[in-house]
C-alpha cells in the first residue's frame, strides 16, 4: 500500500516562511510528477507548484519568486519552501503524485493535506 503524507504546515505571520514536506511510503518503484495544490475556504483547489521526474518545475503566477519546489528521490520526498508568505496564501495544502509501485502499476495519489495559516 502506498501513502502520501504532508507535514510542515502551521500558523505564521505575514512575511514569514514555512517548509512543507510530502513523503511517499510503501511499495514504491518510482515517483514521477509531483504537484502541490491548495484550497482556501470557498475556493477551488488550485495548482501551486509542480516538479517532474526530470526536475523541471512550474509555478502559479501568484507564488513565483516566493515558493520553491524541490525533490529528494532518495527519501521519496518533495518539498515546498514558502517565503514571504501573505494572508492570501492561507489554505489547506495538498500533495499530489504520480507513483509507480513494485508491480509496475501507475496511479495518482493525494495526501491528506496540511493547513497553512498566514496572519496579517
Amino acid at each position: 500500500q502506498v501513502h502520501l503524507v504532508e507535514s510542515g504546515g502551521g500558523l505564521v505571520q505575514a512575511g514569514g516562511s514555512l517548509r512543507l514536506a510530502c513523503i511517499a511510503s510503501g511499495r514504491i518503484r518510482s515517483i514521477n510528477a509531483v504537484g502541490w495544490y491548495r484550497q482556501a475556504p470557498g475556493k477551488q483547489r488550485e495548482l501551486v507548484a509542480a516538479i517532474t521526474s526530470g526536475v523541471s518545475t512550474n509555478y502559479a503566477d501568484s507564488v513565483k519568486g516566493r515558493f520553491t519546489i524541490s525533490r529528494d528521490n532518495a527519501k521519496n520526498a518533495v518539498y515546498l519552501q514558502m517565503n514571504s508568505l501573505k494572508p492570501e496564501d492561507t489554505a489547506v495544502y495538498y500533495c499530489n503524485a504520480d507513483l509507480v509501485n513494485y508491480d509496475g502499476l501507475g496511479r495518482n495519489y493525494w495526501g491528506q493535506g496540511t493547513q497553512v495559516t498566514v496572519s496579517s
Side-chain angles (χ1 to χ4, degrees), residues 92-113:
V92 178
Y93 284 70
Y94 298 90
C95 178
N96 176 273
D98 290 325
L99 305 176
V100 179
N101 65 18
Y102 281 175
D103 298 323
L105 298 176
R107 241 194 71 182
N108 184 261
Y109 293 84
W110 286 96
Q112 83 289 349

Side-chain angles (χ1 to χ4, degrees), residues 1-2 24-31 73-74 76 99-107 109:
Q1 203 161 0
V2 173
S25 62
R27 302 176 70 249
I28 300 167
R29 175 181 293 180
S30 63
I31 302 174
N73 291 331
N76 287 340
L99 305 176
V100 179
N101 65 18
Y102 281 175
D103 298 323
L105 298 176
R107 241 194 71 182
Y109 293 84

Side-chain angles (χ1 to χ4, degrees), residues 17-65:
S17 299
L18 285 173
R19 188 189 192 214
L20 305 183
C22 173
I23 309 295
S25 62
R27 302 176 70 249
I28 300 167
R29 175 181 293 180
S30 63
I31 302 174
N32 298 325
V34 179
W36 281 100
Y37 291 73
R38 67 186 180 188
Q39 187 166 20
K43 294 189 177 181
Q44 287 190 330
R45 191 171 296 189
E46 62 174 352
L47 178 64
V48 175
I51 187 166
T52 68
S53 57
V55 300
S56 294
T57 59
N58 67 281
Y59 298 91
D61 288 343
S62 58
V63 307
K64 280 181 182 176

